[in-house]
Amino acid sequence: MGQIQLNQVTKTFGNVNVIPPLDLTIHDGEFTVFVGPSGCGKSTLLRMIAGLEDLTTGSISIDGVDATDTPPAKRGLAMVFQSYALYPHMSVRKNIAFPMRMAKMPEDEQNRRIEAAAKALNLTDYLDRRPGQLSGGQRQRVAIGRAIVREPSAFLFDEPLSNLDAALRVGMRLEITEMHERLKTTMIYVTHDQVEAMTMADKIVVLRAGIIEQVGSPLELYHSPQNEFVASFIGSPKMNLIKGEEAAKHGAATIGIRPEHTGVSMTEGMWKGRVGVSEHLGSDTFIHVHDTGLADMITVRINGDVQVKHGDTIYLNPELDKLHKFGADGKRID
Amino acid sequence: MATQHSRSAARIMMAPAVVLLLGWMLVPLIMTLMFSFKRYLPLRGGDLGWTGFDNYIRFVSSSAFWPAVSTTLIIVGAVLIITIVLGVLLALLLDQPMWGQGVVRILVIAPFFVMPTVSSLVWKNMFMDPTNGLFAHLWRFFGADPVAWLSEASVPSIIMIVSWQWLPFATLILLTAVQSLDSEQLEAAEMDGAPALSKFGYLILPHLSRAITIVVLIQTIFLLSIFAEIFVTTGGAFGSRTLTYLIFQRVLESQNVGLGSAGGVYAIILANIVAIFLMRIVGKNLDA
Ligand SMILES: Nc1ncnc2c1ncn2[C@@H]1O[C@H](COP(=O)(O)OP(=O)(O)OP(=O)(O)O)[C@@H](O)[C@H]1O
Ligand SMILES: [Mg+2]
């Protein structure tokens, strides 16, 4: 079990209101990702769920039981920190055993769980090392191991991969997703990396300044962002947002079109522009188109084999059925 | 310093400083060594020539020697224990967010700025005086007989004074160490269900071990040579004579420079023995 419910939760630090009243339900077994720009309150929200930060007002219930004043250790949640927060003076084995020792679990049960966790996380050869003698990825696995052995009702991750290099990050991302498939435990994962959010989540919660902008599955967010903020936040490269006359033609204050939904032609098309920087990724090329008279710059995705030169004239053909329309208040118009 | 050339240039440029430093340290050391092998009584005939190891044998066989060594070690050991235990507690306390934190921290550090002579006089006259001291009043208030601290309990009194002086130093170093502890580690322990005492034992104390090592090493060096505190309070009477004080008495009170110098050499040896011991016991912490 691991159902978490936030009711009218708020948080103020001094007189700064970080989280305005917020409601959110996280269902049992769900992989929920909190995503948003830096400083939007993701960590604060997670720490409030963990019990490391008091609520200013509102309540939290876990599995239907009010947990607002329950101390962190009694909530049955395990947390993995960005800095790993391993205990540097203990061996890997002792680190993993620590929560079980604190719970006074029988020795042989402890050992059984340590062995199982070590095997699942490829740590068997490192059990007697100190955290200082491990690589970043191994440390991260120890931190996850320490969380797993508690058999929590939910895992909380606060940007667990942001200290790893790109290749390792992809690997660990898969491992965590894999682990979720296997354990089917509720997981709440904080990140500002939208690729992580899109690839791992069952449900993404997009936050801005403590306000939930949209909750939905990755594809819902991609296909029907409810407002301009979500539209430009989800998707890489960002959606092109066009205001003014062109938007008015479509009956909206702002229209949005994703780079991958814009065709290009060298001879004819709806919009005309001049090629700026081209970013070659091999499979795809992203070109920045200037002087369209629509926006400062429009990014489009073309096939990696197409050759365009800086300064070429280019025509763009947006797929009109993939156009997103937003009203003057930034909300989606259908 | 990568190349041969830059290395030799560096040596030449460091040479003046090294020569000066060596001279500074070696001249007094060699003079001490030289005097220790001489019979030198400034007021009773001056330099009376070489005597071999006579001074060394006389210094050790004097009835005052072993008590002085043990007093020295007792004072150093007790002050170390008191300052570290109280220092850790104070550091933990000062790390808590509280009202007037800045002022409290400055107040805690203040004793360190008081000169040893001054603080000893204050302790002697204002606290420990058997008729007018604060302690005497306190004892009388509770109906007890005032203690003549400096004569009845001279060594504990000196330990108290010296601990009071060195507590700020220990607290300061330990406080910076406490503050450098990663707060996420403590939060992780909190989530893991560790009670306060376990957090202290498993996280805070191991984290402080390096700072404690430094406090022990630095304090030992200074505590082995405390002098003013004894001179001002007991004058070395009532079993409060340390090795340093014994040397002082031999040189100045008995006007025997040779004998005092031999004592000085013993003090150097004792300091080195203690240093080697400490390095072996706690020095490992510095590598980790
Ligand atoms: N202890 C605190 N005291 C005062 N303000 C705080 C405190 N902790 C966080 N804040 C403020 O709350 C806001 C949200 O912080 P939070 O750490 O939750 O952001 P975040 O979304 O996790 O950002 P990041 O992606 O950079 O980690 C920030 O504006 C921050 O300045
Ligand atoms: Mg954060």
Side-chain angles (χ1 to χ4, degrees):
Chain A
M1 281 296 280
Q3 194 230 37
I4 296 167
Q5 198 161 7
L6 309 183
N7 307 312
Q8 291 293 303
V9 163
T10 68
K11 180 74 195 180
T12 40
F13 286 114
N15 44 22
V16 185
N17 191 1
V18 176
I19 312 259
L22 177 149
D23 288 298
L24 180 67
T25 305
I26 291 155
H27 299 290
D28 185 31
E30 217 167 37
F31 197 121
T32 304
V33 172
F34 292 171
V35 65
S38 188
C40 68
K42 306 178 295 285
S43 300
T44 307
L45 197 58
L46 192 76
R47 291 164 54 83
M48 279 155 67
I49 295 172
L52 295 172
E53 208 82 68
D54 291 329
L55 310 192
T56 306
T57 60
S59 67
I60 291 185
S61 60
I62 299 174
D63 293 331
V65 182
D66 182 72
T68 313
D69 297 316
T70 314
K74 297 262 157 53
R75 297 190 181 196
L77 311 175
M79 182 143 165
V80 177
F81 293 84
Q82 179 175 357
S83 68
Y84 318 136
L86 299 178
Y87 310 128
H89 308 281
M90 300 180 201
S91 65
V92 169
R93 179 187 293 279
K94 293 221 172 99
N95 261 283
I96 297 178
F98 192 74
M100 299 187 282
R101 260 174 85 181
M102 290 301 124
K104 304 216 165 50
M105 192 181 284
E107 197 87 10
D108 41 337
E109 173 66 9
Q110 284 190 25
N111 285 330
R112 196 189 59 74
R113 290 194 187 186
I114 292 171
E115 298 302 332
K119 211 162 138 233
L121 293 163
N122 271 328
L123 285 171
T124 312
D125 296 339
Y126 307 108
L127 280 177
D128 295 316
R129 292 212 197 162
R130 295 266 183 103
Q133 301 163 314
L134 298 177
S135 73
Q138 290 163 343
R139 283 181 215 182
Q140 188 55 267
R141 279 200 281 266
V142 176
I144 294 174
R146 191 174 63 185
I148 286 182
V149 292
R150 291 180 53 192
E151 301 187 347
S153 56
F155 288 94
L156 312 177
F157 295 91
D158 190 357
E159 306 201 25
L161 307 186
S162 54
N163 288 348
L164 302 180
D165 69 55
L168 212 51
R169 204 142 60 195
V170 175
M172 285 303 294
R173 206 165 75 197
L174 287 174
E175 279 187 43
I176 294 177
T177 316
E178 195 73 43
M179 186 172 105
H180 179 244
E181 291 301 322
R182 203 173 60 239
L183 299 174
K184 302 252 182 281
T185 313
T186 310
M187 293 190 180
I188 306 178
Y189 189 103
V190 165
T191 180
H192 56 246
D193 178 348
Q194 53 130 332
V195 178
E196 278 175 26
M198 294 296 282
T199 52
M200 301 171 89
D202 294 327
K203 180 161 97 182
I204 297 182
V205 177
V206 183
L207 288 162
R208 177 171 60 164
I211 297 168
I212 296 183
E213 293 286 334
Q214 188 171 354
V215 180
S217 72
L219 291 183
E220 263 171 60
L221 261 55
Y222 179 81
H223 289 302
S224 48
Q226 289 306 307
N227 53 44
E228 275 180 46
F229 176 78
V230 177
S232 64
F233 195 79
I234 300 289
S236 163
K238 279 163 71 160
M239 181 189 283
N240 300 298
L241 292 174
I242 298 163
K243 292 184 192 293
E245 221 173 290
E246 188 66 27
K249 277 192 216 161
H250 297 273
T254 309
I255 52 169
I257 184 77
R258 296 198 184 276
E260 54 272 41
H261 298 148
T262 312
V264 299
S265 159
M266 306 310 282
T267 52
E268 57 182 348
M270 208 170 121
W271 299 331
K272 181 184 170 194
R274 183 179 52 78
V275 175
V277 174
S278 312
E279 297 173 318
H280 299 279
L281 301 181
S283 58
D284 301 310
T285 299
F286 295 109
I287 46 182
H288 298 182
V289 180
H290 300 277
D291 299 336
T292 52
L294 306 167
D296 277 353
M297 181 187 90
I298 290 184
T299 315
V300 293
R301 186 183 74 180
I302 57 172
N303 194 294
D305 303 329
V306 178
Q307 292 295 324
V308 288
K309 284 202 308 289
H310 196 277
D312 282 355
T313 300
I314 197 167
Y315 294 90
L316 308 178
N317 286 305
E319 297 169 29
L320 291 176
D321 58 328
K322 302 255 171 71
L323 213 55
H324 302 271
K325 296 176 204 162
F326 302 100
D329 57 354
K331 294 241 165 58
R332 181 182 189 80
I333 308 172
D334 278 312
Chain B
M1 276 181 236
T3 64
Q4 195 77 44
H5 187 75
S6 62
R7 253 198 304 263
S8 55
R11 269 192 210 129
I12 292 170
M13 290 190 207
M14 284 189 319
V18 172
V19 168
L20 199 71
L21 252 174
L22 270 181
W24 199 282
M25 293 186 327
L26 282 182
V27 170
L29 182 67
I30 288 172
M31 282 178 73
T32 308
L33 273 173
M34 195 179 77
F35 283 134
S36 71
F37 290 107
K38 274 188 164 180
R39 200 165 146 68
Y40 185 39
L41 307 165
L43 295 185
R44 287 169 282 158
D47 190 346
L48 301 174
W50 303 98
T51 59
F53 281 92
D54 265 13
N55 285 326
Y56 287 91
I57 296 163
R58 267 188 64 194
F59 195 87
V60 185
S61 53
S62 124
S63 63
F65 178 72
W66 287 112
V69 171
S70 82
T71 309
T72 309
L73 294 180
I74 287 171
I75 291 180
V76 171
V79 172
L80 282 179
I81 292 170
I82 292 173
T83 51
I84 285 168
V85 171
L86 292 183
V88 169
L89 294 178
L90 264 178
L92 290 177
L93 200 69
L94 290 179
D95 188 45
Q96 307 298 318
M98 60 179 167
W99 189 80
Q101 199 166 35
V103 179
V104 172
R105 281 186 190 171
I106 290 172
L107 282 179
V108 167
I109 292 154
F112 205 50
F113 298 124
V114 182
M115 283 173 281
T117 326
V118 176
S119 72
S120 307
L121 280 173
V122 168
W123 273 90
K124 178 183 180 180
N125 295 317
M126 296 186 69
F127 290 99
M128 294 173 165
D129 190 275
T131 49
N132 275 321
L134 216 61
F135 289 156
H137 284 297
L138 201 68
W139 257 242
R140 265 187 235 112
F141 178 79
F142 286 107
D145 274 337
V147 181
W149 287 93
L150 290 169
S151 48
E152 284 171 37
S154 56
V155 172
S157 302
I158 287 168
I159 290 172
M160 197 145 73
I161 296 172
V162 177
S163 301
W164 180 81
Q165 272 169 11
W166 282 92
L167 186 56
F169 173 77
T171 308
L172 202 61
I173 303 262
L174 293 168
L175 178 61
T176 59
V178 168
Q179 284 172 337
S180 74
L181 179 58
D182 178 16
S183 64
E184 285 199 346
Q185 272 177 37
L186 288 176
E187 287 174 349
E190 179 92 35
M191 301 264 333
D192 284 344
L197 215 58
S198 301
K199 268 191 238 164
F200 178 76
Y202 287 110
L203 289 183
I204 298 173
L205 208 55
H207 176 78
L208 289 183
S209 63
R210 194 179 286 211
I212 291 176
T213 308
I214 289 169
V215 171
V216 168
L217 286 177
I218 293 180
Q219 283 199 14
T220 308
I221 293 167
F222 284 95
L223 293 179
L224 278 173
S225 59
I226 53 163
F227 177 79
E229 294 83 345
I230 301 170
F231 184 77
V232 171
T233 53
T234 61
F238 313 114
S240 65
R241 186 158 50 189
T242 60
L243 201 53
T244 320
Y245 204 86
L246 185 66
I247 295 165
F248 159 78
Q249 283 186 332
R250 290 291 181 263
V251 174
L252 273 155
E253 287 174 11
S254 339
Q255 286 291 331
N256 190 338
V257 175
L259 193 58
S261 296
V265 174
Y266 278 122
I268 294 170
I269 295 170
L270 177 74
N272 276 288
I273 292 173
V274 173
I276 289 168
F277 253 111
L278 285 174
M279 286 293 194
R280 286 186 69 126
I281 298 168
V282 289
K284 280 192 215 108
N285 280 330
L286 291 178
D287 305 333

